[in-house]
Amino acid sequence: LINYDLPRIPSNVMQTMGYDYDKKYFVQLAMTESYYNRYAENKRWGTFYAAGLGWDISRENFMDGTNDWLDQLKLRAVYGRTGNGIDNTGYYTYYQTYENNAASWYSMGTSQGQFRTTYESALANPYITWEKANKVNVGIDAQLFNGRLSIAADYYNDKYFDLLQTRGKSIEIIGQSYPAENIGKQRRTGVELQATWQDNIADFNYFITANWSMEDSKILFMDEQNQPYDYLRQTGRAGNAMFGYICDGFFSSDEEIANSPVIKGYSNIRPGDLKYRDLNKDGVIDDFDRCVIGGDKPTSYFGLEYGFN
């Protein structure tokens, strides 16, 4: 049963089912029906699901010769669709709201009169709904040497869509701000590796775990303004790409300043000030000389954990 009066939090109905055949073949299914009352009535329900398969190769007959050193070798794969409805939107933005201006005064003979006006706030979006992602994960789990060594490796490929973004090409000709819409697309891919060695010397037990991960991202679509140069575009770049100006050192003399591009908005340039690269060769350093200066490489993390008792 769903409580339709829950304030600003999703409600979920989840069903899961699993099957294990001879401890070698595994199937698991899951489905969730989620409800969120920040959306319009016909957009509140989201259906999300996942399916996973597993195969423990080490239990096959053709692996009998490895029993003395291989404890488990399992392949697995999962595909699913997930949704995000928490904190991705404001308070009931599918409603159009209006606000009152402060009181205004006007002359009325020898006295003053007062009036108030009402104006339309940011435009509503009655079609706003869940952000979604199609996710694929494949991995392998292995245990060797009577459980002393454990290894896990994963690769994932996630495509996010219906991401809430404000259109960049909209013209505020009506004098209003435009709402966020489910138009963005992004892809994230990555690998994760983890290995653990655990053993004992008499009553002394110890373990050491190493992990490493790397993730890459790419903006597949965003409604950005048409750009005169490709290096200004965000579409096709990494999701965390940072834009800025390339610094070519410092000005060393007044003569060098006079023979260099003009920096828009700055007139009192002196020796020792930063010198920026004129990417479009128009003699002016302005917004058309910005490019990616960081955040465009895959992010990588690693860690090491150990302990004893």
Side-chain angles (χ1 to χ4, degrees), residues 4-9 35-41 44 88-97 121-126 128 179:
Y4 287 90
D5 296 324
L6 286 175
R8 301 188 304 279
I9 59 175
Y35 173 89
Y36 203 23
N37 67 349
R38 281 192 178 181
Y39 304 138
E41 289 188 10
R44 292 177 178 176
N88 71 336
T89 181
Y91 289 87
Y92 308 100
T93 55
Y94 66 91
Y95 278 130
Q96 185 61 61
T97 58
S121 57
L123 294 179
N125 177 10
I128 193 170

Side-chain angles (χ1 to χ4, degrees), residues 3 29 40 45 56 67-68 97 104 114 121 143 145 154 159 162 172 177 181 195 203 229 241 288 302 306:
N3 180 1
L29 305 174
W45 284 98
D56 192 346
N67 293 341
D68 57 339
T97 58
S104 300
Q114 185 183 32
S121 57
Q143 288 191 358
F145 313 124
D154 287 89
K159 181 180 180 181
D162 286 347
E172 296 188 7
S177 299
E181 302 176 62
D203 292 334
Y229 308 103
F288 296 118
F302 61 88
Y306 54 90

